[in-house]
Amino acid sequence: MSRYWSSLVHRLTPYVPGEQPKLPNLVKLNTNENPYPPSPRVVAAIADELANGGQALRLYPDPNADRLKEAIAARFAGFGITPQQVFVGNGSDEVLAHVFIALLRHELPILFPDITYSFYPVYCGLYDVAWTAVPLDENFALQVDDYAGANGGIIFANPNAPTGCLLPLASIERLLAVHSQSVVVVDEAYIDFGGDFGTDSAIALVNRHPNLLVVHTLSKSRSLAGLRVGYAVGHPDLIEALERVKNSFNSYPLDRLAIAGAVAALADERHFETTRQAVIHSRETLCLALRSLAFEVLPSAANFIFVRHPQRDAGDLAAALRQRGIIVRHFRLPRIDQHLRITIGTDAQCELLIVALREILN
Ligand SMILES: *Cc1c(COP(=O)(O)O)cnc(C)c1O
């Protein structure tokens, strides 16, 4: 606290990211990073950008990252997406921040689930957006009918975090139809770990619903959390609002290395497919192993699972795992303080987790 702080800063409750420990050799299953490296093409493209002694770094990057917008639009060409329907930012967290001030700051409170990405209330605090939490049902499922009435907008993660539950596209379409007066934001940070590409993403609905904005990240399914690239897809009017905010804040959110790396990542469909299938496969194996240790495991469409043990305190389990060099995420929040969120690692990491849990439970 300081008298030099603005009153806004006094009131803020910042987001607390999962720990990034400095200790080596930890089995890090706490922040939903991908256990596999990014495509080798990413590394090559970044090296190219650094050629000739880094000459290119003298110059500002393309403020609009047009190459990247074209690559993203091309990826969703099957849904008729054009580059004018794409916004890019420094991680999807930055994209989301702009969404809150550009599209969700209205008279009425916005709605989001009581259990969801805990950054949403933080943005509301930063930008003075009123909000109402809508409880998920007893199985942590979002019920569209609970979102009745006027509102300043709706945002939710799909698959949801930290539960991993997937809301079917048909339900999203119903929500969009009922709430055509407000913007509906679907944060699809984990969508690539769900089912088949093209059947689950709400990007398929963008050209039928001018109030829909879908947010993606390269942090999880493209193994690029360290590069900070996220994007949004929606009607050009929604994108223009985001561009207006971005150009009132930072004209160059994506640096040269990020643009080059992101374009290269999107071009390597084979690497993407191989690594995401490996994560999905490990997830299913880990779910079976945990169930055999009496854990309750929610069905997950993400690169993490949400579990609880009927006889063991979640905080104690997390602490015991940590002593054995394995870190998972435990949220001390209502309704979920007896759950653990476990990121899917390599098969070898999952095996270490199971061995440790067997030891702890005995
Ligand atoms: C990880 C995550 C993000 C943030 O992703 P970045 O692109 O790394 O900023 C956004 N939303 C949800 C639900 C996430 O889990």
Side-chain angles (χ1 to χ4, degrees), residues 31-32 90-94 96 117 120 157 159 161 187 189-190 216-220 225 228-230 304 341:
T31 52
N32 299 344
N90 192 257
S92 61
D93 283 341
E94 184 186 79
L96 288 167
Y117 188 35
Y120 303 155
D187 179 355
Y190 301 102
H216 280 200
T217 176
L218 272 63
S219 294
K220 278 87 183 214
R228 312 305 303 130
V229 181
F304 58 84
R341 192 195 68 188

Side-chain angles (χ1 to χ4, degrees), residues 43-125:
V43 181
I46 291 175
D48 270 357
E49 197 65 29
L50 291 169
N52 302 320
Q55 272 288 347
L57 294 185
R58 290 184 307 107
L59 305 173
Y60 281 106
D62 174 4
N64 298 317
D66 282 331
R67 274 169 70 205
L68 179 54
K69 289 182 181 177
E70 280 158 24
I72 293 163
R75 176 154 197 264
F76 300 108
F79 300 136
I81 301 301
T82 65
Q84 292 69 41
Q85 291 174 286
V86 180
F87 177 78
V88 295
N90 192 257
S92 61
D93 283 341
E94 184 186 79
V95 174
L96 288 167
H98 292 343
V99 166
F100 274 76
I101 196 160
L103 300 169
L104 296 177
R105 195 171 189 253
H106 299 290
E107 294 302 312
L108 291 167
I110 67 165
L111 308 178
F112 50 78
D114 61 337
I115 297 162
T116 191
Y117 188 35
S118 44
F119 224 134
Y120 303 155
V122 174
Y123 295 127
C124 288

Side-chain angles (χ1 to χ4, degrees), residues 75 79 166 169 191-202 204 269 272-273 276-277 280 283 301:
R75 176 154 197 264
F79 300 136
L166 183 76
L169 269 194
I191 196 72
D192 295 326
F193 300 106
D196 298 329
F197 166 69
T199 53
D200 290 334
S201 174
E269 199 57 29
F272 171 67
E273 202 49 38
R276 90 179 177 102
Q277 292 298 350
I280 292 171
R283 177 183 72 209

Side-chain angles (χ1 to χ4, degrees), residues 195-256:
D196 298 329
F197 166 69
T199 53
D200 290 334
S201 174
I203 290 180
L205 309 177
V206 157
N207 278 335
R208 272 185 278 143
H209 296 276
N211 59 327
L212 169 64
L213 190 80
V214 184
V215 180
H216 280 200
T217 176
L218 272 63
S219 294
K220 278 87 183 214
S221 61
R222 302 278 173 171
S223 308
L224 288 173
L227 203 65
R228 312 305 303 130
V229 181
Y231 60 90
V233 178
H235 190 280
D237 288 350
L238 303 186
I239 301 304
E240 189 187 339
L242 295 172
E243 297 288 356
R244 289 174 70 117
V245 169
K246 170 238 171 201
N247 287 318
S248 307
F249 179 79
N250 177 4
S251 309
Y252 308 102
L254 290 190
D255 61 57
R256 285 180 171 273

Side-chain angles (χ1 to χ4, degrees), residues 33-45:
E33 288 136 330
N34 199 304
Y36 302 107
S39 158
R41 292 199 207 175
V42 171
V43 181

Side-chain angles (χ1 to χ4, degrees), residues 164-177:
C165 299
L166 183 76
L167 184 69
L169 269 194
S171 303
I172 296 178
E173 190 138 41
R174 207 150 57 79
L175 190 73
L176 286 162

